Amino acid sequence: MSEKSRLPSKFLFYLITVSVFLLILSSVFLLQFSKTSFTPSSVFKLILVNGTSVYFEPLVKSRQKQLPFLSSEVSRVDAIRSSKTSELACPVSNSSKKLGSLRKMKTMACDSTQALLRVFMYELPPEFHFGLLGWKGKENQTWPNVSIPSRIPPYPGGLNLQHSIEYWLTLDLLASNIPTVVRPCTVVRVHNSSKADVIFVPFFASLSYNRHSKLHGKEKVSVNKMLQNKLVQFLKGRDEWKRKGGKDHLIVAHHPNSMLDARRKLGSAMFVLADFGRYPAEIANLEKDVIAPYRHVVMTVDSSKSASFEERPILLYFRGAIYRKDGGVIRQELYYILKDEKDVHFTFGSVQGNGINKASQGMASSKFCLNIAGDTPSSNRLFDAIASHCVPVIISDEIELPFEEVLDYSEFCIFVHASDAVKKGYLLNLLQGIKQDKWIKMWERLKEIVHQFEYQYPSQPGDAVDMIWQAVSHKISSIQLKFHRKKRYDRSTSGIITK
Ligand SMILES: *[C@@H]1O[C@H](CO)[C@@H](O)[C@H](O)[C@H]1NC(C)=O
Ligand SMILES: *[C@@H]1O[C@H](CO)[C@@H](O)[C@H](O)[C@H]1NC(C)=O
Ligand SMILES: *[C@@H]1O[C@H](CO)[C@@H](O)[C@H](O)[C@H]1NC(C)=O
Ligand SMILES: *[C@@H]1O[C@H](CO)[C@@H](O)[C@H](O)[C@H]1NC(C)=O
Ligand SMILES: *[C@@H]1O[C@H](CO)[C@@H](O)[C@H](O)[C@H]1NC(C)=O
């Protein structure tokens, strides 16, 4: 860093010239590859980040340590540069506007008549959302200013990040009213709830569970419980809730233990969840709720650098806790079956700290990655495997998968019933029988769909945030249909049309 401060202005000039040259070069690439935009867009972002690290120099220095999580794609850039400079996400700047126009996206604020979904967001006080991140606004300020990505309060890292979905969705709604943020106009925040299709509840429930479940000092109830109780009271008192009994409300509760106290009372709402493992069917089900991917913790492998069939020496990879309660017994059984097999990597180990690096390397050099039911049917290992272009082998009979209404997982995953997987020799026979050309097909498909599992700010067409809103829109249509049917002979509400 000290080098930077000594840079003569001549060097800066040279740097900018080089960046501009690369920018032009990359737009040529972009045009050439408009269909398979993975390679060029990563090249483009590389330069973007470099370019803006100049624009936002002072911020970069002060924020450097806290900002590694704004975009999962940034880690890719980092790996390439192998330097410690800016860890900014795709920023909003002159150059990103160029990127926008190249992709034919609008730089105007999203128009509510064009958006797929109009969302009203409650003005809950910051203690329910960004306050949990340590953010303090000015007096009466409810939301941080999201115009400049580098100034957005970062979400804590490590395993917290897996469940950060609440954060990305809230940011996207805030951004939808800012003309300079380039993002898809799938969803727009409206300020009149009677004009909304969905009412969004901006409570960071997973973070509240992860960070505030314990009692401190003289507290009788934890902050997590207190916030949930307040939330229930608030919602039950709102006209918006009473209108449809909460059915058009969207609550993000991605951590399986989040909203533990309130989920029953708010069970009529739509939830965004990781799976249904800890929910009774009447409270959470596919009919009304949306399954969202975990935010993966390993780096996304650059599609152009993804190891091929021959370059992946390990046939089957698993790293994680072997002994789990509840549904996790199968991990143990598989461990004893597989531990001495050649080409199989099956080890204990947490995916924290250095474990993340080990897992990144391991998955990126394996042909198949095991995803076994843990103490819940889902785990972020599946999404780590996808980010590593390692074909997932799913042994979890109760698993629910994100975006399955538009994604055919059999094109890039192998599903094995738990009862088959524990038969001696079954799994290895199956995987060894998968020929190279079949594996390559799945690997190619993985590289196509990996984008749908990326959380980032600003959101991009077809990324995880965009896909979740589309899934919500599907659910809303069917909820709307039922609501209207029920009203056919209901004279008490005649004339009140709800959009
Ligand atoms: C990024 O900037 C550094 C100087 O800060 C320069 O050495 C490097 O070549 C640049 N990388 C790209 C890809 O533009
Ligand atoms: C955008 O470009 C204009 C001139 O083209 C320049 O004055 C301005 O500082 C740039 N803005 C940013 C954020 O770099
Ligand atoms: C904040 O809100 C309160 C109550 O509405 C009001 O009295 C006060 O003037 C506001 N403060 C500022 C700085 O706007
Ligand atoms: C947010 O920040 C931008 C850039 O600093 C500024 O132009 C804008 O006025 C701010 N918005 C609000 C509501 O403070
Ligand atoms: C919200 O929209 C409804 C229906 O269009 C309208 O009657 C109402 O006046 C609006 N409320 C506000 C505060 O603008």
Side-chain angles (χ1 to χ4, degrees), residues 394-412:
I394 298 177
I395 306 174
S396 179
D397 298 346
E398 306 292 319
I399 198 169
E400 292 297 343
L401 297 163
F403 319 139
E404 207 171 4
E405 67 274 25
V406 291
L407 272 185
D408 178 357
Y409 279 78
S410 70
E411 292 172 351
F412 55 89

Side-chain angles (χ1 to χ4, degrees), residues 327-490:
V329 205
I330 183 164
R331 285 194 185 184
Q332 223 165 305
E333 292 186 37
L334 275 172
Y335 173 66
Y336 289 111
I337 291 177
L338 295 173
K339 69 184 166 71
D340 298 324
E341 294 287 348
K342 191 162 81 61
D343 302 339
V344 174
H345 182 102
F346 203 120
T347 51
F348 301 87
S350 139
V351 198
Q352 229 169 345
N354 192 37
I356 294 184
N357 279 336
K358 287 235 174 83
S360 295
Q361 286 165 13
M363 288 182 162
S365 39
S366 304
K367 297 185 181 80
F368 297 98
C369 287
L370 261 186
N371 183 70
I372 321 170
D375 39 17
T376 55
S378 70
S379 93
N380 82 326
R381 216 162 272 103
L382 171 62
F383 308 100
D384 283 345
I386 292 173
S388 312
H389 309 154
C390 176
V391 174
V393 177
I394 298 177
I395 306 174
S396 179
D397 298 346
E398 306 292 319
I399 198 169
E400 292 297 343
L401 297 163
F403 319 139
E404 207 171 4
E405 67 274 25
V406 291
L407 272 185
D408 178 357
Y409 279 78
S410 70
E411 292 172 351
F412 55 89
C413 293
I414 309 278
F415 290 88
V416 182
H417 285 296
S419 53
D420 288 333
V422 295
K423 290 178 193 154
K424 203 161 172 29
Y426 184 94
L427 199 56
L428 282 190
N429 273 340
L430 178 77
L431 298 181
Q432 279 157 351
I434 294 172
K435 295 282 179 303
Q436 179 165 356
D437 53 342
K438 169 132 195 252
W439 184 88
I440 289 176
K441 261 196 190 146
M442 301 182 103
W443 174 65
E444 293 289 357
R445 186 71 184 126
L446 272 174
K447 291 193 284 182
E448 283 168 16
I449 55 90
V450 65
H451 177 61
Q452 303 187 0
F453 298 89
E454 298 291 355
Y455 289 95
Q456 56 200 331
Y457 180 83
S459 114
Q460 300 281 311
D463 70 4
V465 171
D466 196 32
M467 295 291 289
I468 290 173
W469 291 127
Q470 291 181 36
V472 169
S473 157
H474 291 150
K475 303 287 173 193
I476 279 291
S477 314
S478 64
I479 289 168
Q480 204 70 284
L481 173 75
K482 275 197 211 140
F483 185 71
H484 289 162
R485 284 181 70 91
K486 252 177 90 174
K487 277 174 58 173
R488 283 181 182 179
Y489 302 102
D490 182 357

